[in-house]
Amino acid sequence: MGSAMESPRRNILFLIADDLGKCLPCYGAKGLNTPNIDKLAATGTVFDNAFTSTASCSASRTVMYTGLHPHENGQYGLMGGVNHYQSFDHIQSGALLFNSLGYQTGIIGKVHVGPPSVFPWAVREESETRNVAWTAQRAEAFFKETQASGNPFFLTVGYVDPHRDITTRGGFGNQEDCKGTFTAPNIQLDQVEIPDWLTDVEETRQEYVEYYKAIERLDYGIGLVLDALDRQGLTDSTLVVLCSDNGPPFINSKTTLYDAGVQLPFIVRQPGAPVAGMRNPNLISYIDILPTFLDWAGAPSDLSTPVEAAPGQIHTMETRPPPHPKRLGRSFLSILGRGEHLDAREWQQEVFGSHTFHEVHNYWPTRFLRTKRFKYHRNIAWQLDFPFASDLYASLSLEGIRKQSTAQTGGDVMVGARSLRQYIKRPVEELYDMEADPLEVQNLADKEEFRGVLERMRARVEAWQFQTGDPWLMRDGQSVQALQRYAQEDLRVPGTWDFVVDGAAYSQMQMRRVDNPLQKDAGPR
């Protein structure tokens, strides 16, 4: 167990921003003011290398809440509307587990996961409001109730900021003044800092001005909640975590597995921690969040609780859900005070990611492996154009980027350092040296000098896919998991990822059993 202060109550306050990314002064961003988040960072640990599994709202949140990647928990894409993706009924979420531990659980604000039976918060005040003053008032009411009961609490606060206003093309809800308690800053076009992964055009700056305003409202709201926690005398018994579900809501970030989309802000304040203001360079994954919360509560990371089937529910061979996956995450409490890059024998310095859908029409399954130096992408549906989330497609920034003059770029529209053509048309594999190429532009997958790195990372991803029961581990264009039931009949498939159309080539291929998919000769064609 990680060290923590001795207290009869070990509370948890989990603050989740929406589409924030690392656009914060404590991560080097310029032109905006976030004193409350800065204060939290100065009194806690700032992780520089925290990664979600997918840059999509609902799926990323289920990773936080279940300790499982989206292809394990079933939340393949967005929940709500025509999308309607939800976690499997038998998945054990943090809300369920902490209820069993006697915690008062609650969520205020954005939820965006389902079904409710899998996420049974005892208090559920779901709202899409950007009135962060209301959110803080409801949080303080929750704190008071738990004080009266004497039970420890686990409260999640889901902010809508700084997500786009999806009813407009370039707005971020900045008409919200929290009933007169918040005044949006007067930010000018030349004050905002456009990140290197995005193209600096006027429309981008216009949207970034509004984005900055929403971030400052978020900061105001976080300050109100932390002040409420302090007023109720709970600061010294509460573990506070602040993070974002995915990167900024712009092309080249959100819905992609590039670092701009999945490498996120992550700040932890642990009561009684011996060191404050720590910068931690070690790689952590969002699958580590639930094990860390369980560790703080003094519970085992593999805690489970019985889940009863719905009355009258009968599962057939085709409808029976898969077994509950084993949580592979680790508690990071023990390394909060470590400012050095730890040896791989002490901390596993690699993270995996899994994206399949955003909206229902945004099908583009891909998996990644990130180490300190290298990043590997396995693009499963690489023949398809990479899709746009509807709010990104409709954005003023994308329209401005597409209208830019191509006279100086050789005819290519550029998205940051990447051409729009390269963004849309992606190869089956991508390999990047993140020290030399942090924007992930120079693909090394075809470079002979990196063949060994490519093959090792490819093998690691496939072993992880097999270990986690990924339905998108493919052979001959088919899901290995779906074909497992035919193993007893000795079904054999080629080692290629994609379907083999050429009959002569197919007849000459070495065939492998479907229950032994991790052969060395796997490849795209």
Side-chain angles (χ1 to χ4, degrees):
M1 297 291 175
S3 61
M5 66 171 291
E6 292 300 323
S7 170
R9 298 179 63 183
R10 292 196 173 185
N11 308 308
I12 300 168
L13 176 60
F14 192 19
L15 307 171
I16 304 174
D18 200 336
D19 292 5
L20 175 61
K22 298 177 82 171
C23 191
L24 292 169
C26 63
Y27 282 100
K30 298 179 176 60
L32 72 167
N33 185 34
T34 58
N36 298 297
I37 295 175
D38 292 348
K39 181 179 178 181
L40 182 65
T43 55
T45 296
V46 176
F47 280 92
D48 289 322
N49 287 298
F51 292 84
T52 186
S53 181
T54 177
S56 179
C57 178
S58 297
S60 179
R61 289 166 195 262
T62 61
V63 179
M64 307 177 202
Y65 298 154
T66 70
L68 302 169
H69 294 283
H71 67 257
E72 296 180 279
N73 64 44
Q75 186 87 48
Y76 300 133
L78 289 185
M79 182 191 172
V82 299
N83 305 303
H84 200 58
Y85 293 107
Q86 298 190 98
S87 294
F88 296 129
D89 291 340
H90 68 298
I91 293 299
Q92 303 211 346
S93 70
L96 180 72
L97 296 174
F98 276 84
N99 285 343
S100 75
L101 292 173
Y103 272 65
Q104 174 78 348
T105 61
I107 188 165
I108 298 170
K110 189 164 187 173
V111 177
H112 214 28
V113 297
S117 59
V118 171
F119 302 97
W121 288 285
V123 174
R124 180 179 175 127
E125 298 192 36
E126 185 169 4
S127 173
E128 290 290 312
T129 185
R130 295 178 190 261
N131 183 348
V132 295
W134 174 87
T135 302
Q137 290 168 0
R138 299 313 306 149
E140 185 154 22
F142 179 91
F143 297 150
K144 289 178 178 178
E145 290 176 9
T146 63
Q147 287 280 61
S149 71
N151 294 326
F153 69 80
F154 179 2
L155 176 64
T156 299
V157 179
Y159 292 98
V160 175
D161 284 327
H163 195 287
R164 289 176 179 272
D165 174 0
I166 60 173
T167 67
T168 68
R169 294 190 59 193
F172 286 80
N174 290 322
Q175 68 278 7
E176 178 61 69
D177 65 356
C178 307
K179 296 200 171 180
T181 66
F182 174 76
T183 302
N186 183 22
I187 298 173
Q188 303 301 310
L189 292 179
D190 60 357
Q191 288 180 247
V192 299
E193 180 182 51
I194 305 302
D196 291 341
W197 47 263
L198 192 57
T199 306
D200 190 349
V201 295
E202 183 177 359
E203 292 87 347
T204 306
R205 287 190 170 272
Q206 289 172 351
E207 290 192 339
Y208 249 76
V209 164
E210 300 305 312
Y211 184 52
Y212 270 27
K213 292 177 182 178
I215 292 172
E216 294 206 14
R217 183 171 53 242
L218 166 73
D219 178 78
Y220 170 66
I222 287 172
L224 293 178
V225 170
L226 293 179
D227 287 347
L229 187 75
D230 204 43
R231 274 195 301 274
Q232 298 305 315
L234 295 167
T235 297
D236 291 338
S237 59
T238 303
L239 180 73
V240 179
V241 175
L242 168 65
C243 69
S244 175
D245 56 352
N246 47 250
F250 294 86
I251 184 176
N252 225 11
S253 170
K254 185 175 179 178
T255 78
T256 81
L257 295 187
Y258 296 129
D259 271 15
V262 295
Q263 187 187 45
L264 302 176
F266 203 87
I267 303 172
V268 182
R269 188 178 72 188
Q270 177 187 355
V275 181
M278 175 64 66
R279 306 292 303 207
N280 192 307
N282 296 287
L283 276 69
I284 63 171
S285 167
Y286 275 24
I287 66 169
D288 298 329
I289 294 174
L290 180 55
T292 300
F293 289 161
L294 290 170
D295 187 6
W296 172 250
S301 62
D302 60 352
L303 178 69
S304 64
T305 188
V307 177
E308 296 182 4
Q313 184 178 52
I314 298 175
H315 285 128
T316 66
M317 179 181 294
E318 291 186 338
T319 63
R320 183 177 297 110
H324 194 285
K326 177 183 178 182
R327 289 190 290 271
L328 300 177
R330 309 145 293 175
S331 169
F332 48 72
L333 284 184
S334 64
I335 67 166
L336 281 180
R338 306 293 291 273
E340 74 277 21
H341 191 271
L342 301 173
D343 186 272
R345 291 170 295 183
E346 188 172 359
W347 186 259
Q348 185 175 320
Q349 299 287 359
E350 62 178 18
V351 294
F352 294 91
S354 168
H355 177 88
T356 305
F357 289 91
H358 180 60
E359 294 161 294
V360 68
H361 55 280
N362 299 150
Y363 177 69
W364 216 81
T366 184
R367 307 294 183 255
F368 81 82
L369 168 60
R370 175 71 149 81
T371 65
K372 181 176 182 292
R373 179 176 175 185
F374 290 104
K375 178 91 166 281
Y376 171 81
H377 299 255
R378 163 73 175 99
N379 299 324
I380 297 160
W382 63 280
Q383 301 97 330
L384 300 177
D385 289 354
F386 188 82
F388 290 97
S390 58
D391 58 337
L392 301 189
Y393 179 85
S395 67
L396 300 178
S397 56
L398 178 58
E399 183 173 339
I401 288 169
R402 295 179 77 181
K403 288 180 177 178
Q404 67 183 298
S405 170
T406 58
Q408 297 178 334
T409 62
D412 281 335
V413 171
M414 300 301 293
V415 184
R418 177 181 289 107
S419 73
L420 184 58
R421 189 181 312 276
Q422 184 185 6
Y423 182 83
I424 295 296
K425 304 287 187 181
R426 304 190 188 183
V428 64
E429 292 179 291
E430 298 172 74
L431 177 68
Y432 299 105
D433 183 337
M434 300 305 293
E435 293 179 356
D437 179 28
L439 296 180
E440 298 170 78
V441 175
Q442 302 299 323
N443 187 6
L444 306 175
D446 293 331
K447 303 295 184 183
E448 183 62 32
E449 59 266 39
F450 292 96
R451 178 182 294 274
V453 176
L454 177 71
E455 292 180 348
R456 287 192 297 274
M457 297 188 80
R458 175 195 295 161
R460 285 289 295 130
V461 166
E462 292 218 318
W464 165 76
Q465 286 185 277
F466 189 64
Q467 179 185 22
T468 57
D470 187 352
W472 281 270
L473 173 58
M474 311 299 283
R475 289 293 181 267
D476 199 28
Q478 308 302 306
S479 168
V480 169
Q481 184 192 62
L483 296 178
Q484 290 286 305
R485 62 181 181 265
Y486 301 112
Q488 62 185 3
E489 296 188 31
D490 200 31
L491 175 64
R492 294 172 181 261
V493 293
T496 56
W497 290 327
D498 298 332
F499 186 78
V500 180
V501 178
D502 187 290
Y506 177 79
S507 64
Q508 297 298 316
M509 287 182 172
Q510 183 178 7
M511 299 294 168
R512 303 294 181 122
R513 289 179 55 89
V514 294
D515 56 354
N516 183 28
L518 301 182
Q519 59 263 30
K520 293 182 180 179
D521 59 343
R525 292 175 290 280

